[in-house]
């Protein structure tokens, strides 16, 4: 689905991503892990185009479009039109838009002309329906996180990019989110690129893992291969 | 070590004098003062190196503008208050000085009235209004130069900061303030000479204003005031208080949760800045020979902000560069291409914003960094 | 004035039948009296205005059917004399050389330079005389409108000689309005003479002339009449007060609508997009200049030109806006404060551009016929038409903008883009396009404001500067980002200003309004309609 | 040295609020210089214009003036429009001993050794205009409407005194109203004027409204249906130039008082207009009173230079008093000892083509008064710059020269 | 400023390093006492008759569904939000509802925000410097000097939060997790009597969570700590006493085990398979 090759990224003079290679297989959930500040968020932002990359390739193969698309050539807004949904870290909801308007922004990326918010979003997060007319910024942290996920789902993406989606959400809804992701993967063939620190969640819902350290992947494999040793080695401070 | 990024390891340990850029600034300023004096006094007129009284006077004016710009940069750059009304404090300081100079005319006015200024005779006032009393004494007038704008800033700032007026709302009410004052001072009933303002000054502290020596003296006084004002501002912004200001600028509410009474800090800096602006106004008036309500005009206040922006916000020395640069450009352009200078000035503003995102100071920083570290730096992407 | 009127009327009455008859017959032999006509005209070309007055009377009394045209030409200053003594009619008096035609023969004489021409001058007194003369002719006109105008002119101008004639006319008159005016005219005369009937008839009349008449009657020797007149006057005063209140309200709304119009575009570019657009005023100016240019392109059709200026002004300013956005603002994303600097530069350039390319002087924009004058509600209250149009226009523009911002995707997308640009783009919103369209919209609306303002104020290089400060004030006072706020703020500031003005004077009223804004913001630090909630409070 | 051109400084705002009025004056002087050069220059030397832009910024006027005199060393300056700009420049020209020709009607109460006032003083415009209204039109009630600055304030004070003292007009028949610069909303004031005029007495408005504010003022007048026949407005600051920005259709019959109108029917005027149109290349270009003032001032200065045989300021200053040159309305203007000139006063009515039709004029020219006879403070002052008096504010009562000269004398005494 | 406050403020100059014990009177009961507090936003009751007491030196965990009102509760305590009714006392002397944010902060209530908010233009070091307990009036702030003692203290905290290498970077460039740590560091510098910690471990790895847990439990006893967190593993590891909020009022209170076996809590919050998830 997405193949990342030799990606290099700089913030000013600081080199954040180093020759990063990463494969995100279609129809699977790939989980990126790593300590604070190793560049996970930066990686996702690079995929979305929110930060410029110095070199490297981002090859995207959509399930419906014919061939391979080089994402680095595409503008940010075009990427979401290709079916990439993004749940950023820190929620990034539009604080002064109502909840409903926040969701409606996702419609811009849809190419099927649908102008209605899919029912599923409200089913998954009933609180959003309840608070439809409240300003996004007034929601509680967890509600905002739900909104951010709901908003990405409005696009009905082919590739869903999640940056610590469970942050600040109550446990039962976290579980529910995990289940929905699984469901989408299994039923609709969704591909997921997930950044997650919480091992139980990752273990339960991800198919593959990648551990990053200082801007490059240091370990990867099936999630079942994620041993305590690896964790100790790469995730302990 | 850069001023803007403030990444100097011992930055917080230092006081203004120990900073390289401040030292450079002061040295350049004082050297300029000395040089100008030398070229004015020692080099005979006619020599191409001679600096005439006109130029000395002109630079005196620029320096007073520079002090004003420093005052604005203090509140805008470090406190995040975009004041669109600093012209008001400048003008009030100027009026205080103007009133003193008016009283110094004595009976040498056209009507020869020993007490009443000409415009009052002219409009048939029969006695001096109460607020004109005391301005015949230099110490009183000079105190008022600082106190009057300071007091206005205190009252205004107290109200505004207490109510937590911020951002554009604060900008607009500062603008409303100066606009209201402009209209008020235009009114002849106010007793400040209406539209004509105060003119025809003769002498200051017994020195004849129309001599070159006095002009040079005023120029030097302004330069020294600028240096002192700069040091004061620098001391403030490099102190912990300066960092509280920056914190307030970026996250006002958060600063409160740390236990800082933000409104008092804002008020303090605002009042200091207003007083500096008043001082600048007082130095400006004897050098240009007139003070009238157009100094209160909102557009003038916006222009001050433009100087600061053009020079580079939150650097202080950038404000000085901006003020001098813009006004010098204005002088040159209006003389060289009187019909088209607005194109040049407007173009300058556009050019600087688009190509020099951090103003002239930013350019200097950049060049300095380039010299220290020749690898080109890719521009930082703006991320949300 | 009264003297002229009755004089003319007398003359006309002498040949009253002739005037009416002439309208029907309009006949044959005119050549033979050219000599007589020349003599009549010759009498006009004298130094003394008194003599000219007599000459006019003589022309009126002549039975030459061209008399009215001559008088009209004289009134318009088009009756002139060439160096060789011919009387000519100037057909068009703009520019250096003027096309002229012979007054007597109507033959076109080509263009003549001003040096060769001498105009027959008149002054205000003569102008009144002429107008009265023309008006009195109109009293017999078949057109109701004309009769009404001349009847209105008679108010307070009637003297004893005229009363019987007027009474006759009242009998014959079919139109209620005209009859009412004629009756009023007679009543005013009566009241002034201290007759009870007049005083009674004038009860409740708000016409200033009636008031003058009544106050004279109130000083009458007859206590009954005096008391009645005083009572009437008191009632009238009461009525006038109410009307004056309404008028002030209208003034306020009208000033408010100007503020709203000027600010509403800024409410988009600044309020919604966050661009501190100092060039907003110049965008308004461009709209106003477009109106002027349209009127130059369509000479003689100021109304059509004005209507066409609405789309044209929008387009011109919108294009300028796009140019500004592409040329400058797009480079300043994320640096909102610097837009102040850049757009200020743009505003200087635009101002000087207009000075250099067009002229530093103001340009004339003509108010079309249908927009000038006022809508008369009653004798004490008339609402000026052009301001009413502007008020309506402001409301329409506001409603249109509201629709766009509420009902189209643009409204949502622009807010998303300004609140979080990166995220909006990640959601597939084409931020660049949104920026361009929104800025064009805001600028275009500024252009519309310019079209409207050209009807009220100077069209000159400084136009923009005069509105920029007020515009920002209105937007901020209303609450940034809230279009309703802009509307309410504009209208209420307008009304407050106009209510204060009569007792505080224009300068103080403005000062008070500013102080009011300052104090109001203390109470509501985020304007009239603040953005509420956690996010806004930060 | 002698071959150097004679430098003529032009100090008029080309940008900012006053550019509307002042740019044409700059062009006028440039045209006059060009004409003079075509005619062989002056004293055999070329004239050269030095143009600066003080940008409607009053302190900048002083700075520019200093630049002209100190840096450029010009021989004469033509410039200024607003009183405040003149006040700002005044100390500079006095200090650097320059020559300034000031072409605009103003409030008087001033006479500087270095300034020549070629515009009208109040007695050359306001007083005759009011006399016209009273005597010829029969006005009994006056609304004095003006912009709030010194010129209207002074003029109105003079007029008030004049109306009350000389014509016995009652207090309630005089209404005074001031508005800020650039005032654009006249609804209330015009309504007030309308009501003021509805009291049954013939009423007129005397307008000292300045600059840009006139357009909305007149627009509002016509909208509220105030016709010149009912309430005529006589303006002291509205000329042909200002009318180019107004739709004059509804204003026909309103008045203005000036010392020159473009419609003046003399050959000199037509020549001037033709030259002007040719110079600007604009068929629709208009001329106005301050332009004529510059025309007169320029010619007077040229004449004085010729007479003195030098451009030396002190010599020219002495030589120019008494110089007489033709004006554009068929008469002559003479420079008086008080540095004001003689002018005819004309009253014109606005025509629909943006021109004025002259309806009245003073039988002869009037000499400008530096100090008004109607103000208590200045009644006793006269100005006479001829030797031996050489004083701008001589007090005839106590027979001394006050003001700046007193200081100089004191200084001189101290020096001795 | 009351006489009382100014007295205590003057105190601080001398012993800024010690927690400001002298200010809060806890002899007669809890350090924080909330009674019948209600807040509504446009009719929506975010906090509904909430009663809560925190004892001196206690470490209390507060959990509850999203939107239960946990953050709002902290907003009330720190003076950001004014309740519609109810009372909030700090110790037995200070009625918090009469005070504004800086007053409350200087009484010794520190807070870490849910969404990390740091001063982006200032360096990490300066962020900590500003947070430090000190005389926060104008003149003392203006003349404040950086002593070796203070520097050591900041370095110590920098070490604790693992940002030593980034000390001179502007805080704006920190990653999300690093900002979380910086916020915690600022809280430590403040040395408050009562710490309000809103979701401290969001975005942290398991190991960092452990460190945070140690840190917080270490503070308890000397200082009172209120922690809001959704990570049950973390809560379990530190909690002695847990309060569950729901729809603005207390749903359940007790030890972790008591609470997590409460069916109401399971239903609205934990979900059926919590055991597994944790
Ligand atoms: N705008 C920026 N400018 C400079 N450096 C930055 C910027 N944003 C992030 N960094 C640096 O890049 C590194 C990687 O940041 P990133 O946000 O990708 O980390 P992360 O792996 O997502 O961490 P976390 O788990 O805390 O979210 C960090 O060290 C951070 O300091
Ligand atoms: N200013 C406001 N306007 C409207 N509603 C608000 C406002 N502030 C908070 N709310 C609502 O109050 C409720 C409580 O919010 P709060 O942030 O306290 O929840 P929380 O318990 O912290 O949740 P989370 O665990 O998700 O952070 C939420 O439903 C929120 O939408
Ligand atoms: Mg991250
Ligand atoms: Mg919360």
């Amino acid at each position: 689905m997405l193949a990342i090759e030799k990606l290099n990224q700089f913030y000013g003079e600081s080199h954040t991503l180093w020759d990063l290679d990463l494969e995100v297989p279609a129809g699977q959930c790939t989980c990126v892990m790593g300590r604070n500040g190793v560049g996970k968020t930066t990686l996702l932002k690079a995929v979305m185009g929110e930060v410029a990359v110095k070199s490297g390739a981002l090859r995207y193969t959509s399930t419906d479009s014919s061939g391979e698309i080089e994402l680095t050539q595409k503008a940010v807004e075009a990427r979401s039109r290709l079916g990439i949904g993004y749940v950023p870290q820190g929620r990034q909801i539009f604080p002064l838009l109502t909840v409903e308007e926040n969701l409606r922004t996702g419609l811009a990326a849809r190419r099927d002309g649908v102008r209605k918010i899919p029912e599923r979003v409200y089913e998954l997060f009933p609180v959003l329906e309840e608070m439809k007319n409240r300003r996004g910024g007034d929601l509680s942290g967890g509600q905002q996180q739900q909104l951010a996920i709901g908003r990405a789902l409005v696009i009905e993406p082919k590739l869903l990019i999640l940056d610590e989606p469970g942050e600040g959400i109550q446990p039962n809804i976290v579980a529910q989110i995990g289940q929905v992701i699984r469901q989408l993967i299994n039923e609709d063939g969704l591909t997921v690129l997930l950044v997650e620190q919480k091992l139980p969640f990752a273990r339960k819902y991800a198919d593959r893992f990648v551990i990053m350290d200082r801007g490059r992947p240091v370990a990867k494999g099936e999630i079942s291969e994620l041993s305590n040793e690896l964790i100790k080695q790469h995730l302990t401070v | 070590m850069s001023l803007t990024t403030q990444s100097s390891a011992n930055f917080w340990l230092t006081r203004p004098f120990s900073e390289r850029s401040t030292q450079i600034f002061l040295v350049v300023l004082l050297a300029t003062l000395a040089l100008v004096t030398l070229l004015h006094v020692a080099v005979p007129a006619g020599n191409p190196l001679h600096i005439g009284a006109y130029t000395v006077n002109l630079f005196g004016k620029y320096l007073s503008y520079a002090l004003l710009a420093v005052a604005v940069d203090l509140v805008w750059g470090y406190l995040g208050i975009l004041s669109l009304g600093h012209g008001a404090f400048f003008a009030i300081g100027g009026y205080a000085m103007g009133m003193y100079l008016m009283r110094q005319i004595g009976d040498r006015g056209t009507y020869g009235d020993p007490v009443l200024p000409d415009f009052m005779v002219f409009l048939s006032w029969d006695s001096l209004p109460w607020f004109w009393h005391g301005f015949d004494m230099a110490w009183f007038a000079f105190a008022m130069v600082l106190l009057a704008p300071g007091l206005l800033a205190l009252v205004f700032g107290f109200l505004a900061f207490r109510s937590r007026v911020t951002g554009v709302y604060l900008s607009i009410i500062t603008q409303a303030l100066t606009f209201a004052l402009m209209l008020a001072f235009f009114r002849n009933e106010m007793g400040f000479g209406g539209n004509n303002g105060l003119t025809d000054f003769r002498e200051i502290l017994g020195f004849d204003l129309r001599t070159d020596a006095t002009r040079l003296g005023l120029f030097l006084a302004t330069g020294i005031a600028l240096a002192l004002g700069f040091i004061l501002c620098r001391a403030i912004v490099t102190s912990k208080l300066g960092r509280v200001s920056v914190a307030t600028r970026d996250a006002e509410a958060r600063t409160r949760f740390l236990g800082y009474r933000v409104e008092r800090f804002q008020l303090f800096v605002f009042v200091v800045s207003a007083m500096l602006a008043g001082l600048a106004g007082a130095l400006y008036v004897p050098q240009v020979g007139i003070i009238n309500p157009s100094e209160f005009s909102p557009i003038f206040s916006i222009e001050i902000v433009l100087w600061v922006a053009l020079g580079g916000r939150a650097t202080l020395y950038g404000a000085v560069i901006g003020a001098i640069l813009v006004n010098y450009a204005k002088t040159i352009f209006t003389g060289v291409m009187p019909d088209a200078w607005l194109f040049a000035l407007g173009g300058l503003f556009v050019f600087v914003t688009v190509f020099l995102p951090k103003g002239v100071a930013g350019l200097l920083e950049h060049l300095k960094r380039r010299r220290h570290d020749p690898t080109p730096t890719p521009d930082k992407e703006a991320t949300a | 004035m009264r003297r002229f009127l009755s004089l003319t009327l007398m003359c006309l009455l002498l040949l009253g039948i002739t005037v009416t008859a002439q309208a029907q017959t309009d006949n044959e032999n005119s050549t033979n009296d050219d000599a007589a006509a020349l003599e009549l005209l010759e009498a006009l070309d004298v130094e003394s205005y008194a003599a000219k007055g007599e000459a006019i009377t003589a022309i009126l009394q002549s039975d030459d059917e061209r008399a009215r045209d001559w008088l009209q030409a004289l009134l318009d200053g088009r009756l002139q004399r060439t160096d060789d003594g011919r009387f000519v009619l100037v057909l068009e008096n703009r520019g250096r050389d003027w096309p002229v035609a012979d007054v007597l023969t109507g033959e076109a004489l080509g263009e003549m330079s001003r040096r060769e021409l001498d105009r027959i001058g008149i002054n205000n007194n003569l102008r009144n005389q002429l107008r009265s003369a023309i008006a009195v002719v109109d009293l017999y006109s078949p057109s109701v409108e004309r009769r009404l105008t001349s009847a209105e002119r008679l108010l307070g101008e009637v003297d004893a000689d005229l009363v019987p004639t007027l009474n006759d006319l009242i009998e014959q008159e079919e139109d209620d309005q005209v009859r009412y005016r004629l009756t009023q005219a007679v009543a005013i005369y009566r009241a002034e003479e201290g007759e009870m009937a007049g005083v009674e008839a004038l009860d409740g009349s708000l016409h200033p002339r009636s008031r003058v008449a009544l106050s004279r009657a109130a000083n009458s020797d007859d206590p009954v009449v005096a008391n009645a007149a005083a009572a009437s006057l008191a009632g009238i005063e009461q009525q006038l007060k109410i009307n004056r209140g309404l008028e002030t309200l209208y003034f306020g709304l009208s000033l408010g609508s100007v503020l709203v119009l000027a600010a509403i575009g800024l409410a988009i570019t600044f309020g919604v997009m966050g661009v501190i657009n100092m060039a907003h005023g110049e965008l308004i100016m461009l709209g106003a200049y477009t109106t002027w240019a349209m009127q130059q392109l369509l000479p003689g059709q100021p109304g059509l030109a004005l209507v066409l200026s609405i789309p044209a002004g929008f387009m011109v300013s919108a294009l300028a806006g796009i140019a500004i956005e592409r040329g400058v603002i797009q480079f300043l994303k994320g640096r909102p404060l610097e837009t102040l600097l850049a757009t200020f530069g743009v505003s200087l350039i635009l101002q000087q551009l207009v000075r250099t390319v067009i002229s530093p002087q103001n340009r004339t924009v003509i108010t079309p016929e249908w927009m000038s004058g006022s809508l008369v509600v009653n004798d004490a209250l008339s609402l000026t038409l052009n301001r009413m149009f502007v008020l309506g226009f402001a409301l329409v523009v506001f409603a249109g903008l509201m629709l766009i911002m509420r009902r189209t995707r643009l409204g949502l997308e622009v807010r998303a883009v300004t609140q979080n640009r990166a995220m909006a783009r990640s959601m597939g919103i084409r931020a660049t396009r949104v920026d361009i369209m929104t800025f064009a919209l805001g600028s275009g609306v500024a252009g519309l404001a310019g079209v409207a303002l050209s009807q009220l104020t100077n069209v000159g290089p400084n136009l923009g500067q005069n509105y920029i400060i007020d515009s920002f004030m209105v937007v901020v006072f209303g609450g940034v980002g809230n279009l309703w706020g802009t509307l309410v703020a504009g209208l209420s500031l307008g009304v407050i200003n106009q209510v204060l003005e009569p007792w505080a004077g224009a300068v103080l009223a403005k000062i008070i309004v500013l102080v009011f804004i300052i104090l109001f913001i203390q109470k509501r630090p985020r304007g009239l309609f603040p953005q509420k909630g956690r996010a806004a409070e930060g | 040295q002698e071959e150097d051109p004679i430098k003529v400084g032009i100090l008029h705002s080309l940008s900012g609020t006053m550019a509307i009025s002042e740019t044409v004056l700059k062009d006028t002087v440039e045209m006059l210089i060009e004409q003079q050069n075509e005619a062989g220059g002056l004293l055999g030397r070329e004239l050269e214009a030095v143009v600066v832009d003080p940008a409607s910024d009053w302190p900048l006027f002083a700075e520019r003036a200093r630049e002209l005199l100190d840096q450029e060393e010009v021989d004469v300056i033509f410039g200024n429009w607003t009183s405040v700009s003149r006040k700002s420049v005044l100390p500079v020209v006095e200090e650097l001993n320059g020559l300034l020709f000031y072409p605009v009607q103003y409030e008087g109460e001033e006479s500087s050794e270095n300034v020549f006032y070629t515009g009208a003083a109040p007695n050359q415009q306001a007083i005759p205009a009011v006399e016209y209204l009273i005597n010829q039109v029969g006005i009994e009630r006056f609304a004095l409407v003006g912009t709030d600055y010194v010129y209207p304030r002074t003029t109105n004070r003079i007029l008030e005194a004049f109306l009350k003292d000389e014509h016995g007009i009652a207090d309630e028949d005089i209404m005074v109203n001031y508005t800020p610069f650039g005032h654009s909303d006249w609804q209330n004031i015009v309504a007030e004027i309308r009501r003021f005029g509805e009291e049954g007495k013939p009423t007129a408005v005397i307008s000292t409204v300045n600059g840009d504010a006139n357009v909305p003022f007149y627009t509002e007048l016509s909208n509220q249906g105030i016709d010149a026949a009912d309430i005529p407005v006589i303006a002291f600051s509205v000329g042909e130039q200002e009318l180019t920005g107004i739709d004059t259709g509804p204003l026909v019959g309103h008045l203005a008082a000036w010392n020159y109108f473009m419609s003046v029917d003399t050959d000199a005027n037509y020549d001037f207009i033709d030259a002007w149109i040719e110079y600007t290349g604009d068929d629709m270009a208009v001329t106005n009173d301050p332009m004529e003032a510059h025309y007169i001032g320029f010619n007077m200065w040229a004449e004085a230079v010729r007479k003195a045989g030098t451009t030396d300021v002190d010599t020219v200053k002495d030589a120019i008093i008494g110089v007489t040159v033709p004006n554009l309305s068929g008469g002559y203007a003479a420079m008086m000892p008080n540095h004001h000139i003689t002018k005819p006063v004309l009253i014109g009515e606005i025509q629909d083509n943006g021109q004025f039709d002259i309806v009245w004029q003073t039988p002869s020219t009037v000499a400008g008064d530096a100090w008004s006879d109607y103000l208590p403070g200045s009644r006793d002052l006269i100005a006479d710059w001829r030797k031996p008096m050489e004083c701008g504010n001589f007090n005839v009562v106590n027979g001394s020269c006050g003001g700046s000269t007193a200081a100089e004398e004191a200084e001189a005494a101290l020096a001795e | 400023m009351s006489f009382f406050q100014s007295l205590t403020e003057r105190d601080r100059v001398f012993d800024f390093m010690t927690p400001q014990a002298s200010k809060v009177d806890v002899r007669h009961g809890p350090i924080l006492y909330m009674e019948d507090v209600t807040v509504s936003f446009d009719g929506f009751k975010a906090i509904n008759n909430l009663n809560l007491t925190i004892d001196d030196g206690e470490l209390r965990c507060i959990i509850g569904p999203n939107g239960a009102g946990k953050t709002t509760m902290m907003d009330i305590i720190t003076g950001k939000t004014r309740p519609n009714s109810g009372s909030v006392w700090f110790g037995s002397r200070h009625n918090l509802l009469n005070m504004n944010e800086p007053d409350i902060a200087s009484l010794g209530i520190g807070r870490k925000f849910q969404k990390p908010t740091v001063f982006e233009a200032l360096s990490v070091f300066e962020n900590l410097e500003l947070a430090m307990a000190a005389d926060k009036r104008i003149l003392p702030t203006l003349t404040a000097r950086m002593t070796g003692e203070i520097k050591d203290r900041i370095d110590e905290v920098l070490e604790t939060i693992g940002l030593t290498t980034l000390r001179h970077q502007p805080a704006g460039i920190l990653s999300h997790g690093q900002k979380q740590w910086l916020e915690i560091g600022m809280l430590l510098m403040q040395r408050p009597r009562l710490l309000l910690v809103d979701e401290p471990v969001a975005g942290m790895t398991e190991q960092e969570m452990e460190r945070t847990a140690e840190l917080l439990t270490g503070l308890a006893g000397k200082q009172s700590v209120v922690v809001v967190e959704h990570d049950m593993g973390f809560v379990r590891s530190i909690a002695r006493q847990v309060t569950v909020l729901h729809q603005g009022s207390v749903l359940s209170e007790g030890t972790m085990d008591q609470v997590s076996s409460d069916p109401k809590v399971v239903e609205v919050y934990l979900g059926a398979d919590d055991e597994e998830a944790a």
Side-chain angles (χ1 to χ4, degrees), chain B residues 167-253:
Chain B
V168 284
Y169 298 92
L170 192 55
S171 303
I172 291 298
I173 61 170
T174 53
Q175 185 169 71
L177 172 76
T178 192
F179 197 10
L181 283 170
M182 175 175 91
L183 292 171
F185 273 72
F186 260 133
R187 286 162 51 86
N188 282 285
E189 289 93 337
M190 280 284 285
F192 292 105
N195 177 54
N196 278 10
L198 312 177
T199 47
D200 204 20
F201 308 133
R202 306 290 161 108
E203 61 187 33
I204 183 169
L205 295 171
F207 297 103
D208 186 351
L209 273 170
R210 297 178 185 187
T211 62
D212 288 356
T214 314
R215 279 201 193 97
L216 182 68
L218 283 168
F219 163 77
L220 291 175
T222 314
I224 287 160
L226 174 62
L228 294 177
F230 185 86
I231 291 167
L232 174 69
C233 290
R234 212 53 235 175
I236 290 177
V237 305
T238 53
S239 74
K240 190 171 168 191
L241 191 144
R243 291 187 288 284
V244 174
S245 302
V246 173
T248 308
R249 179 186 78 188
D250 293 345
E252 185 177 324

Side-chain angles (χ1 to χ4, degrees), chain C residues 449-464:
Chain C
V451 175
L453 285 178
S454 72
Q455 290 301 313
L456 298 178
T457 187
N458 299 288
V459 178
N462 297 335
L463 171 64

